[in-house]
Amino acid sequence: MSITLYGARVLKDLSNQELRVLNMVETLLKKGEYAPVEKIVTYSGYTGKEVSFIVSKLNKKKLLRRWTGQFVGYTLTFAGFDALALNILYNKKVVAGVGRAKGVGKESDIYHAIDFEENEIMLKINRTGRASFQQVKKRRDLLKGKFHYNVFSLAELSSKREYEVLSKLQESKLPIPKILGRNRHIIAMNVIEGTELVKVQNLKKPIKILEKVIEYAKILYNKYNLVHADLTEYNILYNEKKDSITIIDFPQAISTDHPDADLILERDFNHLFNYFGNKWFISPEIEDVVEYIVGKK
Ligand SMILES: Nc1ncnc2c1ncn2[C@@H]1O[C@H](COP(=O)(O)OP(=O)(O)OP(=O)(O)O)[C@@H](O)[C@H]1O
Ligand SMILES: [Mg+2]
């Protein structure tokens, strides 16, 4: 199979020493923007010469990026971070191989992959911060001296949050992705057969689909105390054969205890009703629907 994710492709040629140093850089990045070579030497137990050799190899492989300032240091690249996560998912026997990209977006990349029984699976690789690095940097400056945020921990946080929400929902009958494992910023899940609602040209009974979304939102709200918070025509996949939908993309889901939960629920449905109104000429009353979901009626 062709392997297109760079971090997966280089993984098989990485030595244990290289992996160890990569891991060490990741740990050191929790303390500062760059991992000082000096510190890598101290913690790894390798000699200065060995470390220089390993980091320059990792730099050439584009898994680390060199920085020279008051000291010489390295930071991870997203490819390096991918390699670390995939190494664990491989060792845990969750992911056996990575295939072509299904989609590369702003917040995440979706890749085809296979598990150890050669079933097709899907990887959601979180890229929070990739597009808005400057913003992250600004935020980091505000937090200066307190603790250290980097794009990798932000991506991991978002992925972890999505995994936790999906875990909580696995036993429900709600149509959501089945999760198979997670490491760092990568979630392995089943492949959902379907097309984003926004791209669907033929819906047999649009009203039925909207009713389903409302029912699912009600269960999410009342049984699991959650509001999706990004319930759009992009995050609902439609399966034409089965005339069914699946709801995806949960990292931003919020608890119903959140003071703005009902407002955010209303925002979700205002947005969806715009879509259903413009495309399928259905426009229910927003207040009625929100009240129905929240359960005041
Ligand atoms: N398990 C899956 N099976 C099939 N397709 C999927 C799956 N997960 C995601 N996709 C596809 O990838 C797209 C992006 O996934 P998702 O909505 O979870 O991430 P996102 O954070 O919105 O990503 P982006 O910022 O790239 O839009 C989805 O709209 C869907 O088409
Ligand atoms: Mg999405």
Side-chain angles (χ1 to χ4, degrees):
M1 95 187 291
S2 67
I3 296 180
T4 54
L5 181 65
Y6 182 74
R9 206 163 62 216
V10 291
L11 186 59
K12 61 182 194 321
D13 299 322
L14 281 189
S15 68
N16 284 340
Q17 281 185 328
E18 286 172 319
L19 265 173
R20 191 149 167 244
V21 167
L22 211 53
N23 258 304
M24 206 153 281
V25 170
E26 181 192 35
T27 309
L28 287 165
L29 289 184
K30 298 204 166 94
K31 300 212 183 94
E33 201 161 341
Y34 296 94
V37 169
E38 211 179 280
K39 286 259 161 59
I40 303 173
V41 174
T42 314
Y43 294 136
S44 65
Y46 299 144
T47 65
K49 225 171 157 186
E50 283 169 330
V51 168
S52 296
F53 182 70
I54 298 166
V55 288
S56 60
K57 265 181 110 173
L58 289 169
N59 193 38
K60 243 184 233 145
K61 290 181 184 178
K62 297 195 164 53
L63 302 180
L64 289 183
R65 210 177 48 239
R66 187 184 160 93
W67 174 81
T68 319
Q70 288 140 314
F71 58 88
V72 177
Y74 284 85
T75 184
L76 280 175
T77 61
F78 258 113
F81 198 47
D82 292 351
L84 283 173
L86 287 168
N87 179 49
I88 300 292
L89 289 171
Y90 181 83
N91 291 339
K92 282 204 220 156
K93 299 233 173 296
V94 176
V95 180
V98 184
R100 63 186 198 284
K102 169 147 201 230
V104 172
K106 214 165 72 211
E107 294 292 321
S108 55
D109 298 342
I110 308 290
Y111 273 84
H112 292 274
I114 48 163
D115 68 10
F116 280 75
E117 270 108 49
E118 298 202 2
N119 299 307
E120 266 198 61
I121 60 171
M122 209 100 259
L123 300 182
K124 177 166 177 175
I125 308 180
N126 196 295
R127 303 294 190 205
T128 303
R130 177 176 61 184
S132 57
F133 188 70
Q134 281 314 315
Q135 247 171 313
V136 174
K137 206 163 158 24
K138 234 184 265 163
R139 202 176 330 159
R140 179 164 50 208
D141 291 342
L142 289 175
L143 293 167
K144 204 158 31 197
K146 288 252 173 74
F147 52 95
H148 198 84
Y149 264 115
N150 59 49
V151 281
F152 309 111
S153 47
L154 286 178
E156 178 164 352
L157 208 65
S158 178
S159 199
K160 185 163 176 261
R161 173 80 188 129
E162 177 159 34
Y163 192 79
E164 281 167 1
V165 172
L166 287 172
S167 304
K168 195 169 150 184
L169 299 175
Q170 289 299 286
E171 296 305 314
S172 74
K173 296 243 160 59
L174 291 169
I176 52 156
K178 182 173 186 290
I179 47 172
L180 308 168
R182 177 187 76 87
N183 188 263
R184 293 179 170 82
H185 61 318
I186 302 184
I187 298 176
M189 55 179 118
N190 70 326
V191 181
I192 290 156
E193 301 295 341
T195 314
E196 291 164 27
L197 213 46
V198 68
K199 293 186 191 148
V200 173
Q201 295 309 331
N202 291 308
L203 267 189
K204 283 175 209 129
K205 290 200 175 128
I207 184 85
K208 289 270 173 247
I209 298 299
L210 181 56
E211 278 169 8
K212 278 185 190 166
V213 179
I214 294 170
E215 281 314 312
Y216 299 149
K218 189 174 170 69
I219 297 172
L220 210 54
Y221 191 98
N222 288 293
K223 198 159 176 206
Y224 298 96
N225 299 324
L226 285 168
V227 174
H228 185 288
D230 193 19
L231 192 58
T232 64
E233 60 277 24
Y234 295 88
N235 291 329
I236 299 172
L237 304 185
Y238 176 67
N239 183 324
E240 202 177 338
K241 252 190 249 151
K242 295 187 185 155
D243 193 31
S244 65
I245 54 168
T246 305
I247 296 178
I248 60 163
D249 203 1
F250 285 82
Q252 68 296 312
I254 54 160
S255 157
T256 50
D257 295 335
H258 188 289
D260 295 332
D262 290 6
L263 274 177
I264 291 168
L265 177 74
E266 190 174 327
R267 190 194 65 192
D268 267 358
F269 277 91
N270 258 324
H271 182 110
L272 261 186
F273 288 176
N274 262 334
Y275 160 79
F276 274 94
N278 291 334
K279 191 148 177 187
W280 308 104
F281 312 111
I282 305 169
S283 37
E285 285 296 327
I286 185 81
E287 291 83 8
D288 292 350
V289 172
V290 169
E291 273 187 19
Y292 173 74
I293 292 172
V294 173
K296 288 181 188 146
K297 237 182 191 175

